[in-house]
Amino acid sequence: MRAVEKLIPEAIIAITSSGMAVHGEVNKAYKGYISSLGAGIIQSGLLPTLAMYKGNEDSDKKKANTACLLNSYL
């Protein structure tokens, strides 16, 4: 089993406990943030990407709180 596959159960627990998933389905806004997190890290680097996600937590235009996504990883 690959190392990434071992982390999947922990990721499921983090997503469900943080409120990003309702009735087993992840909110569409969070799906986009989750999928773009890796690309952002590759393109911009770790610190700028995390700063962008953390800095957008109070935006009224956001459909989801990006800080919640970071808290589930930590």
Side-chain angles (χ1 to χ4, degrees):
M1 182 181 292
R2 293 175 28 188
V4 173
E5 292 172 347
K6 292 178 183 176
L7 296 174
I8 291 174
E10 292 181 37
I12 292 171
I13 291 170
I15 288 172
T16 54
S17 66
S18 67
M20 288 188 273
V22 178
H23 303 295
E25 183 145 343
V26 178
N27 183 344
K28 282 185 174 183
Y30 285 118
K31 284 183 183 181
Y33 295 138
I34 291 168
S35 65
S36 66
L37 182 62
I41 292 171
I42 290 171
Q43 290 180 336
S44 302
L46 180 62
L47 288 178
T49 303
L50 294 180
M52 184 195 73
Y53 274 69
K54 188 66 175 170
N56 288 337
E57 64 187 9
D58 294 329
S59 176
D60 292 336
K61 296 178 183 176
K62 294 283 181 185
K63 293 182 181 179
N65 185 354
T66 55
C68 178
L69 178 66
L70 295 180
N71 290 337
S72 66
Y73 283 119
L74 301 176

Short mmCIF file of all heavy atoms in Angstrom, two decimals:
data_model
loop_
_atom_site.label_atom_id
_atom_site.label_comp_id
_atom_site.label_asym_id
_atom_site.label_seq_id
_atom_site.Cartn_x
_atom_site.Cartn_y
_atom_site.Cartn_z
N MET A 1 0.85 -1.18 0.00
CA MET A 1 0.00 0.00 0.00
C MET A 1 0.90 1.24 0.00
O MET A 1 1.85 1.34 0.75
CB MET A 1 -0.90 -0.02 1.24
CG MET A 1 -1.83 1.15 1.29
SD MET A 1 -2.90 1.19 2.76
CE MET A 1 -3.96 -0.19 2.47
N ARG A 2 0.57 2.19 -0.83
CA ARG A 2 1.34 3.42 -0.92
C ARG A 2 1.08 4.31 0.29
O ARG A 2 0.04 4.21 0.95
CB ARG A 2 0.97 4.17 -2.20
CG ARG A 2 1.42 3.41 -3.43
CD ARG A 2 0.99 4.01 -4.72
NE ARG A 2 0.79 5.44 -4.69
CZ ARG A 2 0.28 6.13 -5.68
NH1 ARG A 2 -0.10 5.51 -6.77
NH2 ARG A 2 0.12 7.44 -5.60
N ALA A 3 2.02 5.19 0.56
CA ALA A 3 1.91 6.07 1.73
C ALA A 3 0.68 6.97 1.64
O ALA A 3 0.01 7.23 2.65
CB ALA A 3 3.16 6.92 1.86
N VAL A 4 0.34 7.41 0.45
CA VAL A 4 -0.83 8.28 0.27
C VAL A 4 -2.11 7.52 0.61
O VAL A 4 -3.02 8.07 1.22
CB VAL A 4 -0.88 8.83 -1.17
CG1 VAL A 4 -2.15 9.59 -1.43
CG2 VAL A 4 0.33 9.70 -1.44
N GLU A 5 -2.17 6.27 0.21
CA GLU A 5 -3.36 5.47 0.47
C GLU A 5 -3.58 5.25 1.97
O GLU A 5 -4.71 5.13 2.42
CB GLU A 5 -3.26 4.13 -0.25
CG GLU A 5 -3.34 4.28 -1.76
CD GLU A 5 -3.05 2.98 -2.49
OE1 GLU A 5 -2.56 2.02 -1.86
OE2 GLU A 5 -3.31 2.93 -3.70
N LYS A 6 -2.51 5.23 2.73
CA LYS A 6 -2.63 5.07 4.18
C LYS A 6 -3.24 6.29 4.84
O LYS A 6 -3.81 6.20 5.92
CB LYS A 6 -1.26 4.77 4.79
CG LYS A 6 -0.70 3.43 4.39
CD LYS A 6 0.67 3.23 4.99
CE LYS A 6 1.26 1.91 4.54
NZ LYS A 6 2.63 1.72 5.03
N LEU A 7 -3.12 7.45 4.20
CA LEU A 7 -3.63 8.70 4.77
C LEU A 7 -5.09 8.96 4.44
O LEU A 7 -5.70 9.86 5.01
CB LEU A 7 -2.77 9.87 4.29
CG LEU A 7 -1.31 9.85 4.74
CD1 LEU A 7 -0.55 10.97 4.08
CD2 LEU A 7 -1.23 9.96 6.25
N ILE A 8 -5.67 8.19 3.53
CA ILE A 8 -7.05 8.43 3.12
C ILE A 8 -8.04 8.33 4.28
O ILE A 8 -8.90 9.21 4.43
CB ILE A 8 -7.44 7.51 1.94
CG1 ILE A 8 -6.67 7.95 0.69
CG2 ILE A 8 -8.95 7.54 1.69
CD1 ILE A 8 -6.84 7.05 -0.50
N PRO A 9 -7.98 7.32 5.15
CA PRO A 9 -8.92 7.28 6.27
C PRO A 9 -8.80 8.51 7.19
O PRO A 9 -9.81 9.04 7.67
CB PRO A 9 -8.55 6.00 7.02
CG PRO A 9 -7.89 5.15 6.00
CD PRO A 9 -7.18 6.09 5.09
N GLU A 10 -7.58 8.99 7.40
CA GLU A 10 -7.39 10.18 8.22
C GLU A 10 -7.98 11.42 7.53
O GLU A 10 -8.54 12.29 8.19
CB GLU A 10 -5.92 10.40 8.51
CG GLU A 10 -5.34 9.34 9.42
CD GLU A 10 -3.87 9.58 9.71
OE1 GLU A 10 -3.47 10.76 9.85
OE2 GLU A 10 -3.14 8.59 9.81
N ALA A 11 -7.85 11.49 6.22
CA ALA A 11 -8.41 12.62 5.47
C ALA A 11 -9.93 12.62 5.55
O ALA A 11 -10.56 13.67 5.71
CB ALA A 11 -7.96 12.57 4.01
N ILE A 12 -10.53 11.45 5.47
CA ILE A 12 -11.99 11.35 5.57
C ILE A 12 -12.46 11.80 6.95
O ILE A 12 -13.44 12.55 7.06
CB ILE A 12 -12.45 9.91 5.27
CG1 ILE A 12 -12.20 9.59 3.79
CG2 ILE A 12 -13.91 9.71 5.64
CD1 ILE A 12 -12.40 8.14 3.43
N ILE A 13 -11.76 11.41 7.98
CA ILE A 13 -12.12 11.83 9.34
C ILE A 13 -11.98 13.34 9.48
O ILE A 13 -12.85 14.01 10.05
CB ILE A 13 -11.24 11.10 10.38
CG1 ILE A 13 -11.60 9.62 10.41
CG2 ILE A 13 -11.39 11.72 11.76
CD1 ILE A 13 -10.64 8.76 11.21
N ALA A 14 -10.90 13.91 8.94
CA ALA A 14 -10.68 15.36 9.03
C ALA A 14 -11.76 16.13 8.30
O ALA A 14 -12.25 17.15 8.79
CB ALA A 14 -9.31 15.71 8.47
N ILE A 15 -12.16 15.66 7.14
CA ILE A 15 -13.18 16.36 6.35
C ILE A 15 -14.54 16.30 7.03
O ILE A 15 -15.25 17.29 7.11
CB ILE A 15 -13.23 15.79 4.92
CG1 ILE A 15 -12.00 16.22 4.15
CG2 ILE A 15 -14.49 16.25 4.19
CD1 ILE A 15 -11.83 15.57 2.81
N THR A 16 -14.91 15.14 7.54
CA THR A 16 -16.22 15.01 8.18
C THR A 16 -16.28 15.75 9.52
O THR A 16 -17.30 16.34 9.86
CB THR A 16 -16.61 13.54 8.37
OG1 THR A 16 -15.57 12.87 9.09
CG2 THR A 16 -16.83 12.86 7.05
N SER A 17 -15.18 15.75 10.27
CA SER A 17 -15.21 16.40 11.58
C SER A 17 -15.12 17.92 11.48
O SER A 17 -15.53 18.62 12.39
CB SER A 17 -14.07 15.88 12.46
OG SER A 17 -12.83 16.25 11.92
N SER A 18 -14.62 18.44 10.36
CA SER A 18 -14.48 19.89 10.22
C SER A 18 -15.74 20.56 9.68
O SER A 18 -15.83 21.77 9.64
CB SER A 18 -13.32 20.22 9.29
OG SER A 18 -13.61 19.78 7.98
N GLY A 19 -16.71 19.78 9.25
CA GLY A 19 -17.95 20.35 8.75
C GLY A 19 -17.93 20.61 7.25
O GLY A 19 -18.85 21.23 6.72
N MET A 20 -16.91 20.16 6.55
CA MET A 20 -16.85 20.36 5.10
C MET A 20 -17.76 19.40 4.36
O MET A 20 -18.11 19.64 3.21
CB MET A 20 -15.41 20.19 4.59
CG MET A 20 -14.50 21.31 4.97
SD MET A 20 -12.90 21.17 4.17
CE MET A 20 -12.06 20.14 5.35
N ALA A 21 -18.14 18.31 5.00
CA ALA A 21 -19.01 17.32 4.37
C ALA A 21 -20.32 17.24 5.14
O ALA A 21 -20.36 17.27 6.36
CB ALA A 21 -18.34 15.96 4.35
N VAL A 22 -21.41 17.16 4.37
CA VAL A 22 -22.73 17.00 4.96
C VAL A 22 -23.33 15.73 4.39
O VAL A 22 -23.41 15.57 3.16
CB VAL A 22 -23.62 18.22 4.64
CG1 VAL A 22 -25.01 18.02 5.21
CG2 VAL A 22 -22.99 19.48 5.17
N HIS A 23 -23.71 14.82 5.25
CA HIS A 23 -24.28 13.52 4.84
C HIS A 23 -23.34 12.78 3.90
O HIS A 23 -23.78 12.19 2.91
CB HIS A 23 -25.65 13.70 4.19
CG HIS A 23 -26.64 14.41 5.08
ND1 HIS A 23 -27.09 13.86 6.25
CD2 HIS A 23 -27.23 15.62 4.97
CE1 HIS A 23 -27.93 14.71 6.82
NE2 HIS A 23 -28.03 15.78 6.06
N GLY A 24 -22.05 12.84 4.16
CA GLY A 24 -21.08 12.10 3.37
C GLY A 24 -20.68 12.75 2.06
O GLY A 24 -19.91 12.19 1.31
N GLU A 25 -21.20 13.93 1.76
CA GLU A 25 -20.86 14.60 0.50
C GLU A 25 -20.17 15.92 0.80
O GLU A 25 -20.66 16.74 1.57
CB GLU A 25 -22.11 14.85 -0.33
CG GLU A 25 -21.79 15.48 -1.64
CD GLU A 25 -22.71 15.01 -2.75
OE1 GLU A 25 -23.38 13.99 -2.59
OE2 GLU A 25 -22.73 15.70 -3.76
N VAL A 26 -19.02 16.13 0.17
CA VAL A 26 -18.23 17.34 0.39
C VAL A 26 -18.84 18.50 -0.39
O VAL A 26 -19.23 18.33 -1.55
CB VAL A 26 -16.76 17.11 -0.05
CG1 VAL A 26 -15.93 18.37 0.14
CG2 VAL A 26 -16.14 15.96 0.73
N ASN A 27 -18.92 19.65 0.26
CA ASN A 27 -19.43 20.87 -0.37
C ASN A 27 -18.63 21.17 -1.63
O ASN A 27 -17.42 21.01 -1.67
CB ASN A 27 -19.30 22.01 0.64
CG ASN A 27 -19.87 23.32 0.14
OD1 ASN A 27 -20.12 23.51 -1.03
ND2 ASN A 27 -20.07 24.23 1.07
N LYS A 28 -19.30 21.63 -2.71
CA LYS A 28 -18.63 21.91 -3.98
C LYS A 28 -17.50 22.93 -3.83
O LYS A 28 -16.46 22.80 -4.47
CB LYS A 28 -19.63 22.44 -5.01
CG LYS A 28 -20.48 21.40 -5.63
CD LYS A 28 -21.34 22.04 -6.70
CE LYS A 28 -22.12 21.00 -7.45
NZ LYS A 28 -22.91 21.60 -8.54
N ALA A 29 -17.70 23.93 -3.03
CA ALA A 29 -16.67 24.96 -2.86
C ALA A 29 -15.41 24.35 -2.26
O ALA A 29 -14.29 24.66 -2.69
CB ALA A 29 -17.18 26.09 -1.98
N TYR A 30 -15.57 23.47 -1.29
CA TYR A 30 -14.40 22.83 -0.68
C TYR A 30 -13.70 21.89 -1.65
O TYR A 30 -12.49 21.74 -1.61
CB TYR A 30 -14.80 22.07 0.58
CG TYR A 30 -15.07 22.98 1.75
CD1 TYR A 30 -16.31 23.02 2.35
CD2 TYR A 30 -14.07 23.80 2.26
CE1 TYR A 30 -16.55 23.84 3.44
CE2 TYR A 30 -14.30 24.62 3.33
CZ TYR A 30 -15.55 24.65 3.92
OH TYR A 30 -15.78 25.47 4.98
N LYS A 31 -14.45 21.23 -2.52
CA LYS A 31 -13.83 20.35 -3.51
C LYS A 31 -12.85 21.14 -4.37
O LYS A 31 -11.74 20.67 -4.66
CB LYS A 31 -14.89 19.71 -4.41
CG LYS A 31 -15.65 18.59 -3.76
CD LYS A 31 -16.63 17.99 -4.76
CE LYS A 31 -17.47 16.91 -4.13
NZ LYS A 31 -18.40 16.31 -5.10
N GLY A 32 -13.24 22.33 -4.78
CA GLY A 32 -12.36 23.16 -5.58
C GLY A 32 -11.13 23.60 -4.82
O GLY A 32 -10.01 23.59 -5.35
N TYR A 33 -11.32 23.98 -3.57
CA TYR A 33 -10.18 24.41 -2.74
C TYR A 33 -9.22 23.25 -2.48
O TYR A 33 -8.01 23.42 -2.54
CB TYR A 33 -10.65 24.97 -1.42
CG TYR A 33 -11.45 26.24 -1.54
CD1 TYR A 33 -12.58 26.44 -0.77
CD2 TYR A 33 -11.08 27.24 -2.42
CE1 TYR A 33 -13.32 27.60 -0.87
CE2 TYR A 33 -11.81 28.40 -2.53
CZ TYR A 33 -12.93 28.58 -1.76
OH TYR A 33 -13.65 29.72 -1.87
N ILE A 34 -9.76 22.08 -2.21
CA ILE A 34 -8.92 20.92 -1.95
C ILE A 34 -8.11 20.56 -3.19
O ILE A 34 -6.91 20.31 -3.11
CB ILE A 34 -9.78 19.72 -1.48
CG1 ILE A 34 -10.36 20.00 -0.09
CG2 ILE A 34 -8.97 18.43 -1.47
CD1 ILE A 34 -11.44 19.02 0.33
N SER A 35 -8.75 20.56 -4.35
CA SER A 35 -8.04 20.16 -5.56
C SER A 35 -7.02 21.20 -6.01
O SER A 35 -6.01 20.86 -6.60
CB SER A 35 -9.02 19.87 -6.69
OG SER A 35 -9.71 21.03 -7.06
N SER A 36 -7.26 22.47 -5.70
CA SER A 36 -6.33 23.50 -6.14
C SER A 36 -5.20 23.75 -5.13
O SER A 36 -4.23 24.44 -5.45
CB SER A 36 -7.06 24.81 -6.41
OG SER A 36 -7.61 25.33 -5.22
N LEU A 37 -5.29 23.19 -3.95
CA LEU A 37 -4.26 23.40 -2.94
C LEU A 37 -2.90 22.86 -3.40
O LEU A 37 -1.89 23.55 -3.32
CB LEU A 37 -4.66 22.75 -1.61
CG LEU A 37 -3.70 22.94 -0.44
CD1 LEU A 37 -3.57 24.42 -0.09
CD2 LEU A 37 -4.17 22.16 0.76
N GLY A 38 -2.88 21.66 -3.93
CA GLY A 38 -1.63 21.07 -4.40
C GLY A 38 -1.03 21.85 -5.55
O GLY A 38 0.18 22.10 -5.59
N ALA A 39 -1.86 22.27 -6.50
CA ALA A 39 -1.36 23.04 -7.63
C ALA A 39 -0.82 24.40 -7.18
O ALA A 39 0.20 24.87 -7.69
CB ALA A 39 -2.47 23.24 -8.65
N GLY A 40 -1.47 25.00 -6.22
CA GLY A 40 -0.99 26.28 -5.69
C GLY A 40 0.36 26.15 -5.02
O GLY A 40 1.24 27.01 -5.17
N ILE A 41 0.55 25.05 -4.30
CA ILE A 41 1.83 24.81 -3.64
C ILE A 41 2.93 24.60 -4.67
O ILE A 41 4.02 25.14 -4.54
CB ILE A 41 1.74 23.61 -2.67
CG1 ILE A 41 0.83 23.96 -1.49
CG2 ILE A 41 3.11 23.19 -2.18
CD1 ILE A 41 0.48 22.79 -0.60
N ILE A 42 2.64 23.85 -5.73
CA ILE A 42 3.63 23.61 -6.77
C ILE A 42 3.98 24.90 -7.50
O ILE A 42 5.15 25.17 -7.78
CB ILE A 42 3.13 22.53 -7.75
CG1 ILE A 42 3.10 21.17 -7.05
CG2 ILE A 42 4.00 22.48 -9.00
CD1 ILE A 42 2.42 20.09 -7.83
N GLN A 43 2.99 25.72 -7.82
CA GLN A 43 3.23 26.94 -8.60
C GLN A 43 3.83 28.07 -7.78
O GLN A 43 4.75 28.74 -8.23
CB GLN A 43 1.93 27.42 -9.24
CG GLN A 43 1.46 26.54 -10.34
CD GLN A 43 0.18 27.04 -10.96
OE1 GLN A 43 -0.59 27.77 -10.33
NE2 GLN A 43 -0.07 26.66 -12.20
N SER A 44 3.31 28.29 -6.58
CA SER A 44 3.72 29.47 -5.80
C SER A 44 4.63 29.15 -4.64
O SER A 44 5.33 30.02 -4.15
CB SER A 44 2.48 30.18 -5.25
OG SER A 44 1.62 30.56 -6.30
N GLY A 45 4.55 27.92 -4.15
CA GLY A 45 5.31 27.56 -2.96
C GLY A 45 4.35 27.37 -1.79
O GLY A 45 3.20 27.80 -1.83
N LEU A 46 4.87 26.78 -0.74
CA LEU A 46 4.04 26.45 0.41
C LEU A 46 3.54 27.68 1.16
O LEU A 46 2.35 27.84 1.38
CB LEU A 46 4.81 25.52 1.35
CG LEU A 46 4.06 25.08 2.61
CD1 LEU A 46 2.83 24.26 2.22
CD2 LEU A 46 4.96 24.27 3.51
N LEU A 47 4.45 28.55 1.55
CA LEU A 47 4.05 29.71 2.36
C LEU A 47 3.09 30.66 1.65
O LEU A 47 2.08 31.07 2.25
CB LEU A 47 5.29 30.45 2.86
CG LEU A 47 6.07 29.70 3.94
CD1 LEU A 47 7.32 30.49 4.33
CD2 LEU A 47 5.22 29.44 5.15
N PRO A 48 3.33 31.06 0.39
CA PRO A 48 2.36 31.94 -0.27
C PRO A 48 0.97 31.30 -0.42
O PRO A 48 -0.04 31.98 -0.27
CB PRO A 48 2.99 32.21 -1.64
CG PRO A 48 4.42 31.96 -1.47
CD PRO A 48 4.52 30.88 -0.44
N THR A 49 0.95 30.00 -0.71
CA THR A 49 -0.34 29.32 -0.86
C THR A 49 -1.10 29.28 0.46
O THR A 49 -2.29 29.58 0.51
CB THR A 49 -0.14 27.90 -1.40
OG1 THR A 49 0.56 27.97 -2.64
CG2 THR A 49 -1.47 27.20 -1.61
N LEU A 50 -0.40 28.93 1.53
CA LEU A 50 -1.06 28.89 2.84
C LEU A 50 -1.50 30.27 3.28
O LEU A 50 -2.56 30.44 3.88
CB LEU A 50 -0.14 28.26 3.88
CG LEU A 50 0.19 26.78 3.67
CD1 LEU A 50 1.12 26.29 4.76
CD2 LEU A 50 -1.05 25.94 3.59
N ALA A 51 -0.71 31.29 2.96
CA ALA A 51 -1.09 32.66 3.30
C ALA A 51 -2.35 33.07 2.55
O ALA A 51 -3.22 33.75 3.11
CB ALA A 51 0.05 33.62 2.98
N MET A 52 -2.46 32.67 1.29
CA MET A 52 -3.66 33.00 0.51
C MET A 52 -4.89 32.32 1.10
O MET A 52 -5.93 32.93 1.26
CB MET A 52 -3.48 32.59 -0.94
CG MET A 52 -4.65 33.00 -1.81
SD MET A 52 -4.68 32.18 -3.39
CE MET A 52 -5.20 30.54 -2.93
N TYR A 53 -4.75 31.05 1.44
CA TYR A 53 -5.89 30.33 2.01
C TYR A 53 -6.28 30.89 3.37
O TYR A 53 -7.44 31.00 3.70
CB TYR A 53 -5.57 28.84 2.13
CG TYR A 53 -5.86 28.06 0.87
CD1 TYR A 53 -5.11 28.25 -0.27
CD2 TYR A 53 -6.90 27.15 0.82
CE1 TYR A 53 -5.37 27.54 -1.43
CE2 TYR A 53 -7.17 26.44 -0.33
CZ TYR A 53 -6.40 26.64 -1.45
OH TYR A 53 -6.67 25.94 -2.59
N LYS A 54 -5.30 31.23 4.18
CA LYS A 54 -5.59 31.78 5.51
C LYS A 54 -6.14 33.19 5.41
O LYS A 54 -7.00 33.58 6.18
CB LYS A 54 -4.30 31.76 6.36
CG LYS A 54 -4.51 32.13 7.79
CD LYS A 54 -5.36 31.11 8.51
CE LYS A 54 -5.45 31.45 9.99
NZ LYS A 54 -6.43 30.63 10.66
N GLY A 55 -5.66 33.96 4.44
CA GLY A 55 -6.08 35.36 4.31
C GLY A 55 -7.49 35.54 3.80
O GLY A 55 -8.08 36.59 3.98
N ASN A 56 -8.07 34.53 3.18
CA ASN A 56 -9.40 34.64 2.59
C ASN A 56 -10.52 34.19 3.52
O ASN A 56 -11.65 34.07 3.11
CB ASN A 56 -9.48 33.82 1.30
CG ASN A 56 -8.69 34.44 0.19
OD1 ASN A 56 -8.44 35.64 0.19
ND2 ASN A 56 -8.28 33.63 -0.77
N GLU A 57 -10.21 33.96 4.77
CA GLU A 57 -11.22 33.37 5.67
C GLU A 57 -12.38 34.30 5.98
O GLU A 57 -13.48 33.85 6.27
CB GLU A 57 -10.57 32.90 6.96
CG GLU A 57 -9.96 34.01 7.77
CD GLU A 57 -9.18 33.47 8.95
OE1 GLU A 57 -8.97 32.28 9.05
OE2 GLU A 57 -8.79 34.30 9.77
N ASP A 58 -12.20 35.62 5.87
CA ASP A 58 -13.27 36.54 6.23
C ASP A 58 -13.98 37.13 5.02
O ASP A 58 -14.82 38.01 5.16
CB ASP A 58 -12.70 37.69 7.07
CG ASP A 58 -12.20 37.21 8.42
OD1 ASP A 58 -12.77 36.23 8.93
OD2 ASP A 58 -11.24 37.79 8.93
N SER A 59 -13.68 36.66 3.84
CA SER A 59 -14.27 37.21 2.63
C SER A 59 -15.75 36.83 2.53
O SER A 59 -16.13 35.68 2.72
CB SER A 59 -13.52 36.69 1.40
OG SER A 59 -14.16 37.14 0.23
N ASP A 60 -16.59 37.82 2.22
CA ASP A 60 -18.02 37.56 2.06
C ASP A 60 -18.31 36.87 0.74
O ASP A 60 -19.36 36.27 0.58
CB ASP A 60 -18.80 38.88 2.12
CG ASP A 60 -18.77 39.50 3.50
OD1 ASP A 60 -18.58 38.75 4.48
OD2 ASP A 60 -18.95 40.71 3.61
N LYS A 61 -17.41 36.97 -0.22
CA LYS A 61 -17.64 36.38 -1.53
C LYS A 61 -17.40 34.88 -1.54
O LYS A 61 -17.80 34.19 -2.45
CB LYS A 61 -16.74 37.06 -2.58
CG LYS A 61 -17.06 38.52 -2.76
CD LYS A 61 -16.12 39.15 -3.76
CE LYS A 61 -16.42 40.64 -3.86
NZ LYS A 61 -15.48 41.32 -4.76
N LYS A 62 -16.73 34.38 -0.54
CA LYS A 62 -16.41 32.96 -0.50
C LYS A 62 -17.64 32.15 -0.09
O LYS A 62 -18.39 32.55 0.79
CB LYS A 62 -15.28 32.68 0.50
CG LYS A 62 -13.97 33.28 0.11
CD LYS A 62 -13.34 32.46 -0.97
CE LYS A 62 -12.00 33.04 -1.37
NZ LYS A 62 -11.41 32.35 -2.47
N LYS A 63 -17.80 31.02 -0.71
CA LYS A 63 -18.89 30.12 -0.34
C LYS A 63 -18.48 29.19 0.78
O LYS A 63 -19.30 28.53 1.38
CB LYS A 63 -19.31 29.30 -1.55
CG LYS A 63 -19.95 30.13 -2.64
CD LYS A 63 -20.39 29.25 -3.78
CE LYS A 63 -21.00 30.10 -4.87
NZ LYS A 63 -21.42 29.30 -6.01
N ALA A 64 -17.17 29.13 1.05
CA ALA A 64 -16.66 28.25 2.09
C ALA A 64 -15.47 28.92 2.76
O ALA A 64 -14.78 29.73 2.15
CB ALA A 64 -16.25 26.92 1.49
N ASN A 65 -15.24 28.58 3.99
CA ASN A 65 -14.16 29.16 4.77
C ASN A 65 -12.87 28.40 4.49
O ASN A 65 -12.74 27.24 4.87
CB ASN A 65 -14.52 29.09 6.25
CG ASN A 65 -13.51 29.78 7.13
OD1 ASN A 65 -12.47 30.23 6.67
ND2 ASN A 65 -13.82 29.86 8.40
N THR A 66 -11.92 29.04 3.82
CA THR A 66 -10.68 28.36 3.47
C THR A 66 -9.82 28.08 4.69
O THR A 66 -9.02 27.15 4.68
CB THR A 66 -9.87 29.17 2.44
OG1 THR A 66 -9.64 30.48 2.95
CG2 THR A 66 -10.59 29.25 1.13
N ALA A 67 -9.96 28.84 5.75
CA ALA A 67 -9.20 28.60 6.97
C ALA A 67 -9.62 27.26 7.58
O ALA A 67 -8.81 26.56 8.18
CB ALA A 67 -9.40 29.72 7.96
N CYS A 68 -10.87 26.89 7.40
CA CYS A 68 -11.36 25.59 7.89
C CYS A 68 -10.60 24.46 7.20
O CYS A 68 -10.28 23.45 7.81
CB CYS A 68 -12.85 25.48 7.62
SG CYS A 68 -13.58 23.92 8.12
N LEU A 69 -10.29 24.65 5.94
CA LEU A 69 -9.53 23.65 5.20
C LEU A 69 -8.14 23.49 5.78
O LEU A 69 -7.66 22.37 5.95
CB LEU A 69 -9.43 24.06 3.72
CG LEU A 69 -8.64 23.17 2.80
CD1 LEU A 69 -9.31 21.81 2.67
CD2 LEU A 69 -8.48 23.81 1.45
N LEU A 70 -7.50 24.57 6.12
CA LEU A 70 -6.16 24.50 6.71
C LEU A 70 -6.19 23.89 8.09
O LEU A 70 -5.29 23.12 8.45
CB LEU A 70 -5.52 25.90 6.77
CG LEU A 70 -5.23 26.54 5.43
CD1 LEU A 70 -4.61 27.91 5.62
CD2 LEU A 70 -4.32 25.67 4.59
N ASN A 71 -7.19 24.21 8.88
CA ASN A 71 -7.27 23.67 10.23
C ASN A 71 -7.43 22.16 10.22
O ASN A 71 -6.97 21.47 11.11
CB ASN A 71 -8.42 24.31 11.00
CG ASN A 71 -8.15 25.76 11.32
OD1 ASN A 71 -7.00 26.19 11.35
ND2 ASN A 71 -9.18 26.52 11.53
N SER A 72 -8.08 21.62 9.20
CA SER A 72 -8.27 20.18 9.15
C SER A 72 -6.97 19.46 8.81
O SER A 72 -6.81 18.29 9.11
CB SER A 72 -9.36 19.81 8.13
OG SER A 72 -8.94 20.14 6.83
N TYR A 73 -6.05 20.15 8.14
CA TYR A 73 -4.76 19.55 7.83
C TYR A 73 -3.81 19.58 9.02
O TYR A 73 -2.91 18.77 9.11
CB TYR A 73 -4.07 20.28 6.66
CG TYR A 73 -4.63 19.91 5.32
CD1 TYR A 73 -5.21 20.86 4.50
CD2 TYR A 73 -4.58 18.60 4.86
CE1 TYR A 73 -5.71 20.54 3.27
CE2 TYR A 73 -5.08 18.27 3.63
CZ TYR A 73 -5.64 19.24 2.83
OH TYR A 73 -6.14 18.90 1.61
N LEU A 74 -3.96 20.52 9.91
CA LEU A 74 -3.02 20.68 11.02
C LEU A 74 -3.34 19.80 12.19
O LEU A 74 -4.27 19.27 12.45
CB LEU A 74 -2.98 22.15 11.45
CG LEU A 74 -2.59 23.11 10.35
CD1 LEU A 74 -2.68 24.54 10.86
CD2 LEU A 74 -1.20 22.83 9.84
#
